[in-house]
Amino acid sequence: MSKLIDDNYKLFIDGKWVDGKEGKTYKEYNPANGELLATCVDAGKEDVDMAVNAAWKAFETWKDVSPQERAKMLLKIADLIDENAEKLAMIETLDNGKPIRETSAIDVPLSSDHFRYFASAVRTEEGQAVMIDKDTMSIILREPIGVVGQIVPWNFPLLMAAWKLAPALAAGDCVVFKPSSETSLSVLELAKLMSDVLPPGVVNIITGKGSTAGNYMLEHEGFRKLAFTGSTEVGYTVAEAAAKKLIPATLELGGKSANIYFEDAPWEKAIEGLQIGILFNQGQVCCAGSRVFIQDTIYDKFLADAINAFEKVKVGLPWEKDTQMGSQINETQLKKILAYIEIGKKEGAKVATGGYRIMDNGLDKGYFIKPTILVDVDNKMRVAQEEIFGPVVCFIRFKDEDEVIKMANDSEYGLGGAVWTKDINRAFRVARAVETGRMWVNNYNNLPAHAPFGGYKKSGIGRETHKVILDHYTQMKNIFISLTENKTGLY
Amino acid sequence: MITKDTPVEEILQKYDVLEYFLENGVSPFSCAGAFPQSLGKLLEIKKVKDPDAFINGLNKLIEEKSQ
């Protein structure tokens, strides 16, 4: 299977594949079986310099490429992703550990669609003009911001690349992009596809560790904007780096989202939504429905059905088609999840199902966890307040709307969430009352382009997956015109 | 000897101390990978009230594990 993947990858700078100047590398492994997948470059300062310089050189001409031409290129990239969908899906599965059914049906097709969405969105940008008075016109144009630095996490490598690259390219910016050192391969393969479409230097891929290449990017004075998806802790450092340079940053950060079930929830769909909320991508989702609030009138039946559903989930080798849940990203993440389960137990929570590492049926070389439900959880407990980032859900009872809204909002985060009910008025009341950037009603973890996604509170700044992000990748030019030859008379 | 200036990534690579971090309310690893800066910076961001006590406890644990 790993023949899909090169043994060694270089950096993609100025349209060429180049070695790192410092000669440092790191290795990527398949988290499901420990197999070595590839060796990548741990980029140094000089490499980042080269990438930024190449991006600025490319920007001289890229900024004037018409929206029609940029859209055409984005559409071509989308087509190439689709033509290589099977390969990209398998690479993502091998590199990340997520099931092939998810990479085939979600990660890859949503990525190509993202390029198509922004190819369309940029053609609708029209600027504005207004007559301030009969002799004065104000014209507002959006102009590309320049060279942007983008850093993404390991949980959705290809899709996060699409979320970042498509709007930046559509807006007329040039990019230096860094994938996670855990999962760089699908992005490097995407770069191969893009190299046939984009002029040299428009997109440059820097691989490497956060502590080296990532920090060099944050320190670099050559960026006009930073964009980051990752944890809130690292988000602070990105925001600080941007502030020191007096440049903007968009941040999509952590979450501890409330998934709220009222007694009139559509039952079968609700139980499925619970699983989509916390088991999708092994729970390694920033907006995972990790706090589940259940009305006390249905709590016992809901718990029984949830346990039944969780125990039927097939955890297995991610490249097998019937696998529903794959491997966590690495041993550290596995240990972190198991440690949080222990913390929950010490706090008084009980494990209703799961709670352990799976080592049998050929899974002993990977990082697999049984889908886990914690009960007797109080919303103040650490397991209900901190991001576990695994297939571990906390069940919390509530009596009425007021109580559940208070508990849902008792969190430093505000990224996702859902309300399950057939009462449209209640759905709207709760969706409006919960302080979060995205509230799903009777669904969960749907993340297509065309709807804005981003956080309230410590879950971030800015919105992606919607044309509004084009505002973040452009700056406003106002042309203010006097249409009269008459003097003002002041001098 | 770990200090405020020790990179978190280096600590996670060298020592099996993840549980100590978590038990003391600090997550050193996330979807962004190992925290990419110093331990002191992470403790500052996490608003740890007594960073010196955290670091002393960490060094003590590492010493115990090495014996």
Side-chain angles (χ1 to χ4, degrees):
Chain A
M1 278 184 284
S2 1
K3 286 183 183 169
L4 292 165
I5 296 168
D6 297 348
D7 290 335
N8 296 283
Y9 286 89
K10 297 182 178 183
L11 304 173
F12 185 66
I13 297 175
D14 204 14
K16 296 181 277 289
W17 293 95
V18 297
D19 290 316
K21 291 289 180 191
E22 294 180 7
K24 292 181 182 170
T25 59
Y26 63 92
K27 294 185 188 308
E28 290 204 15
Y29 296 91
N30 181 336
N33 64 9
E35 176 191 351
L36 175 65
L37 294 175
T39 301
C40 299
V41 175
D42 190 10
K45 275 185 184 165
E46 206 179 331
D47 303 315
V48 175
D49 279 344
M50 282 172 54
V52 174
N53 290 340
W56 276 113
K57 190 175 126 204
F59 184 68
E60 287 171 17
T61 48
W62 180 248
K63 67 183 179 185
D64 292 326
V65 172
S66 69
Q68 295 95 316
E69 284 300 311
R70 291 200 301 266
K72 196 189 287 182
M73 290 185 224
L74 293 180
L75 291 171
K76 181 65 182 164
I77 292 168
D79 290 344
L80 287 170
I81 291 172
D82 285 347
E83 285 165 24
N84 291 274
E86 207 173 320
K87 176 181 177 179
L88 288 169
M90 185 54 82
I91 289 172
E92 197 79 317
T93 284
L94 296 175
D95 201 18
N96 174 281
K98 61 173 77 186
I100 190 71
R101 70 175 196 151
E102 287 182 13
T103 53
S104 300
I106 297 167
D107 297 72
V108 174
L110 286 190
S111 297
S112 58
D113 184 61
H114 224 77
F115 281 95
R116 289 198 180 95
Y117 171 76
F118 280 101
S120 305
V122 73
R123 299 293 301 276
T124 69
E125 291 286 303
E126 291 182 332
Q128 291 170 292
V130 63
M131 294 301 294
I132 302 295
D133 58 43
K134 75 179 180 58
D135 293 326
T136 314
M137 177 183 275
S138 166
I139 298 173
I140 300 172
L141 302 173
R142 303 294 315 192
E143 296 185 340
I145 204 164
V147 172
V148 301
Q150 302 179 322
I151 301 175
V152 301
W154 46 254
N155 54 341
F156 292 93
L158 183 69
L159 187 56
M160 289 300 106
W163 282 25
K164 294 282 183 285
L165 292 172
L169 297 176
D173 295 326
C174 292
V175 178
V176 177
F177 182 95
K178 193 190 97 57
S180 167
S181 57
E182 300 286 341
T183 53
S184 308
L185 305 185
S186 59
V187 171
L188 290 162
E189 290 293 330
L190 175 64
K192 287 184 189 173
L193 301 177
M194 290 192 297
S195 69
D196 290 335
V197 181
L198 297 171
V202 171
V203 170
N204 305 274
I205 309 291
I206 287 289
T207 53
K209 295 178 180 175
S211 59
T212 53
N215 285 342
Y216 301 146
M217 281 180 66
L218 297 189
E219 290 161 10
H220 206 286
E221 291 293 334
F223 292 114
R224 291 275 173 82
K225 172 188 160 57
L226 297 174
F228 171 74
T229 295
S231 66
T232 298
E233 291 86 354
V234 182
Y236 275 107
T237 70
V238 177
E240 193 174 285
K244 280 181 181 165
K245 283 190 267 287
L246 220 57
I247 61 172
T250 42
L251 307 168
E252 198 260 275
L253 307 176
K256 194 74 187 178
S257 300
N259 197 2
I260 301 168
Y261 291 89
F262 284 93
E263 60 190 358
D264 63 342
W267 197 262
E268 296 301 322
K269 193 179 178 192
I271 297 294
E272 185 195 38
L274 165 74
Q275 296 169 89
I276 294 170
I278 195 64
L279 304 183
F280 172 56
N281 204 28
Q282 295 72 243
Q284 298 168 150
V285 183
C286 47
C287 55
S290 48
R291 285 187 300 157
V292 168
F293 295 96
I294 306 139
Q295 200 158 26
D296 53 8
T297 48
I298 58 166
Y299 184 91
D300 292 341
K301 178 170 166 35
F302 191 91
L303 174 60
D305 285 7
I307 290 170
N308 188 36
F310 272 43
E311 289 180 352
K312 282 183 186 163
V313 169
K314 189 192 173 197
V315 183
L317 295 171
W319 48 86
E320 292 177 353
K321 284 184 178 171
D322 60 344
T323 290
Q324 294 175 298
M325 221 180 80
S327 169
Q328 310 302 139
I329 190 67
N330 60 22
E331 188 177 14
T332 304
Q333 184 62 22
L334 174 106
K335 283 183 174 176
K336 177 177 168 178
I337 296 162
L338 295 174
Y340 264 113
I341 293 170
E342 292 307 309
I343 287 168
K345 285 187 203 169
K346 284 180 190 164
E347 290 179 303
K350 290 189 179 66
V351 176
T353 186
Y356 57 88
R357 180 181 186 177
I358 304 172
M359 298 281 281
D360 53 2
N361 295 324
L363 304 186
D364 55 309
K365 292 186 179 127
Y367 309 112
F368 299 87
I369 291 187
K370 188 80 177 165
T372 301
I373 298 173
L374 296 179
V375 294
D376 294 348
V377 175
D378 183 284
N379 192 51
K380 296 283 186 195
M381 288 180 181
R382 287 184 59 197
V383 285
Q385 290 292 323
E386 298 175 18
E387 200 172 26
I388 298 173
F389 225 63
V392 179
V393 67
C394 297
F395 272 26
I396 303 169
R397 291 173 187 264
F398 71 90
K399 285 191 172 62
D400 56 31
E401 268 181 55
D402 286 346
E403 186 191 20
V404 77
I405 288 165
K406 274 182 197 155
M407 285 196 287
N409 288 335
D410 183 13
S411 168
E412 66 177 353
Y413 298 114
L415 188 55
V419 53
W420 297 78
T421 176
K422 290 177 188 166
D423 179 338
I424 186 75
N425 294 337
R426 176 154 63 190
F428 266 93
R429 280 195 305 271
V430 175
R432 293 269 294 150
V434 177
E435 296 166 355
T436 185
R438 163 71 60 86
M439 273 299 272
W440 286 283
V441 176
N442 296 333
N443 70 124
Y444 209 101
N445 270 342
N446 272 325
L447 293 160
H450 212 151
F453 181 77
Y456 281 23
K457 301 193 280 189
K458 291 190 178 172
S459 289
I461 299 170
R463 297 292 180 273
E464 295 183 304
T465 67
H466 184 266
K467 64 183 178 181
V468 71
I469 189 68
L470 292 172
D471 289 348
H472 293 285
Y473 282 112
T474 54
Q475 50 197 339
M476 194 180 276
K477 167 66 63 67
N478 181 225
I479 300 173
F480 199 88
I481 309 164
S482 171
L483 301 171
T484 176
E485 281 75 33
N486 296 333
K487 291 176 63 181
T488 59
L490 283 172
Y491 295 95
Chain B
M1 178 77 161
I2 286 166
T3 69
K4 283 182 184 176
D5 297 325
T6 309
V8 172
E9 187 180 88
E10 184 185 315
I11 298 170
L12 291 183
Q13 278 171 357
K14 285 186 179 172
Y15 308 108
D16 182 18
V17 290
L18 180 75
E19 285 83 356
Y20 175 86
F21 275 83
L22 295 174
E23 280 167 11
N24 288 283
V26 179
S27 175
F29 184 86
S30 68
C31 59
F35 185 74
Q37 297 192 13
S38 70
L39 176 59
K41 185 71 184 173
L42 178 59
L43 299 182
E44 178 195 321
I45 286 170
K46 295 302 290 182
K47 295 185 172 65
V48 171
K49 284 182 186 165
D50 190 346
D52 291 332
F54 183 99
I55 294 167
N56 289 341
L58 185 57
N59 278 316
K60 197 176 163 191
L61 176 69
I62 290 168
E63 196 181 325
E64 283 168 9
K65 285 193 174 208
S66 69
Q67 286 170 357

